[in-house]
Amino acid sequence: MALAARLWSFLLWGRGAAPRGPWLTTGTLGSRGRYGFWRFRGSEVMGNPGTFKRGLLFSALSYLGFGTYQVTPQAAVVHATGKVEEILEQADYLYESGETEKLYQLLTQYKESEDAELLWRLARASRDVAQLSRTPEEEKKLLVYEALEYAKRALEKNESSFAAHKWYAICLSDVGDYEGIKVKIANAYIIKEHFEKAIELNPKDATSIHLMGIWCYTFAEMPWYQRRIAKMLFATPPSSTYEEALGYFHRAEQVDPNFYSKNLLLLGKTYLKLHNKKLAAFWLMRAKDYPAHTEEDKQIQTEAAQLLTGFSDKN
């Protein structure tokens, strides 16, 4: 799946100027790919677990030709539906293959679509292109706002889409980098609401649960000076506890065991914050031993090993 490279400066501090604080950053949450903020794997992020199973069917229908069925208005609807399904099929294949720019080029051809499934995928593709290191800074900004607009339209078309809620929250967090501290904090409330809605709509989506855990961890870890700024701007700024974060990380693990190395790492780090070294060591060891499929997995292995070494140095 893909919350990762900037997942710790997510709300308050801007791009390139983030202190070593708790704010969420981008990254490759469970990513099979090479980059991207919250790049997810498998059916959790597809928004439609049956996508690939339908592939052969729609490819066959395409081969036979939908034109045959366009003699009546009803058949025209069938044709349009079939075309959308084919586009989604191609999009999911390109996403799983890590073909970020090809995916974006494909989906932007249909940016006027009224289909929520297509629009949230376009939002994801836009922000993935924005995360590429070779994308110029000015273009990144345009893509970030473009992604948010697509995610917003996806929600307007289908408020029952858990993926639309999830990607709206993710894209809204990106926009915060350009909007200033007050907007970032205000957006934190909205982001939380949409993650919670995504979980409500799909309780089996481990990534939404994990992201909610990171939201909680972020505000539990907020340094006093950041809290002071937040209180100056809002009477009741966002807040949470490590216990709450821990609950979400465990819940994500129950839904999809061993789905993401960072969830294992954060379980260990949260137990450290709660001064439970025994359970912290258990989860950090699992993070260290997690098979490294991505660059992020390797980084997590290293961090877990360093934290475990810190244990032995103190003993």
Side-chain angles (χ1 to χ4, degrees):
M1 262 180 340
L3 232 186
R6 292 175 324 156
L7 201 56
W8 298 101
S9 63
F10 158 66
L11 287 170
L12 188 55
W13 308 102
R15 254 180 240 276
R20 294 176 66 87
W23 301 92
L24 300 180
T25 64
T26 57
T28 54
L29 182 61
S31 175
R32 284 181 180 171
R34 296 159 290 172
Y35 38 71
F37 170 28
W38 300 343
R39 184 169 176 78
F40 306 95
R41 48 170 199 182
S43 61
E44 290 92 10
V45 76
M46 292 307 174
N48 193 339
T51 298
F52 291 104
K53 295 178 182 179
R54 295 194 307 271
L56 191 57
L57 170 62
F58 286 105
S59 295
L61 288 174
S62 176
Y63 177 78
L64 291 172
F66 282 101
T68 308
Y69 300 94
Q70 293 187 45
V71 293
T72 68
Q74 181 179 1
V77 172
V78 172
H79 171 73
T81 303
K83 184 176 180 181
V84 170
E85 293 286 357
E86 284 189 328
I87 296 165
L88 296 181
E89 171 113 6
Q90 293 174 48
D92 291 343
Y93 175 80
L94 290 171
Y95 180 77
E96 287 290 302
S97 302
E99 296 285 357
T100 302
E101 289 164 308
K102 288 182 181 179
L103 173 58
Y104 177 73
Q105 290 166 7
L106 168 69
L107 292 178
T108 49
Q109 298 177 63
Y110 308 99
K111 61 184 180 182
E112 302 303 324
S113 172
E114 301 292 305
D115 189 277
E117 291 294 302
L118 195 152
L119 288 168
W120 73 252
R121 283 169 171 81
L122 181 51
R124 179 183 65 182
S126 299
R127 74 168 310 285
D128 277 354
V129 174
Q131 298 303 314
L132 295 177
S133 59
R134 59 181 173 272
T135 302
E137 192 58 38
E138 271 307 303
E139 189 176 340
K140 287 178 186 289
K141 182 176 179 179
L142 291 174
L143 286 164
V144 163
Y145 280 92
E146 183 181 303
L148 180 61
E149 183 59 31
Y150 294 138
K152 181 180 178 181
R153 284 175 52 201
L155 266 183
E156 289 171 352
K157 300 303 176 186
N158 185 5
E159 290 188 354
S160 297
S161 168
F162 87 92
H165 282 279
K166 173 162 60 179
W167 285 99
Y168 180 76
I170 292 169
C171 293
L172 187 61
S173 74
D174 288 345
V175 167
D177 287 341
Y178 302 100
E179 297 287 343
I181 293 174
K182 185 172 183 178
V183 173
K184 288 182 178 184
I185 297 175
N187 284 349
Y189 295 99
I190 304 170
I191 289 164
K192 181 182 181 183
E193 288 175 6
H194 285 282
F195 281 146
E196 289 175 335
K197 187 63 176 179
I199 295 169
E200 177 188 332
L201 290 167
N202 185 359
K204 297 299 182 182
D205 179 37
T207 60
S208 294
I209 300 168
H210 171 82
L211 294 176
M212 192 63 246
I214 290 183
W215 191 98
C216 295
Y217 189 100
T218 294
F219 287 101
E221 194 181 45
M222 190 192 306
W224 67 267
Y225 58 88
Q226 291 181 4
R227 293 185 189 278
R228 187 172 181 179
I229 293 172
K231 286 180 180 179
M232 289 171 62
L233 297 172
F234 296 91
T236 55
S239 64
S240 189
T241 64
Y242 291 119
E243 287 83 359
E244 192 173 4
L246 188 67
Y248 281 110
F249 295 141
H250 271 300
R251 183 176 166 187
E253 203 62 29
Q254 290 165 0
V255 166
D256 191 357
N258 219 39
F259 76 106
Y260 181 30
S261 58
K262 192 155 193 174
N263 199 63
L264 302 176
L265 176 69
L266 285 171
L267 276 163
K269 292 178 73 168
T270 307
Y271 273 117
L272 271 180
K273 294 290 186 180
L274 294 171
H275 309 292
N276 189 330
K277 291 186 176 180
K278 183 176 180 179
L279 285 175
F282 171 79
W283 290 105
L284 290 173
M285 186 64 71
R286 287 190 58 180
K288 184 180 76 71
D289 294 339
Y290 190 92
H293 299 297
T294 68
E295 186 60 36
E296 186 193 29
D297 290 334
K298 294 176 184 176
Q299 294 170 1
I300 285 170
Q301 284 182 341
T302 300
E303 184 176 355
Q306 290 173 343
L307 288 168
L308 286 166
T309 300
F311 277 25
S312 45
D313 288 345
K314 292 176 183 178
N315 292 335

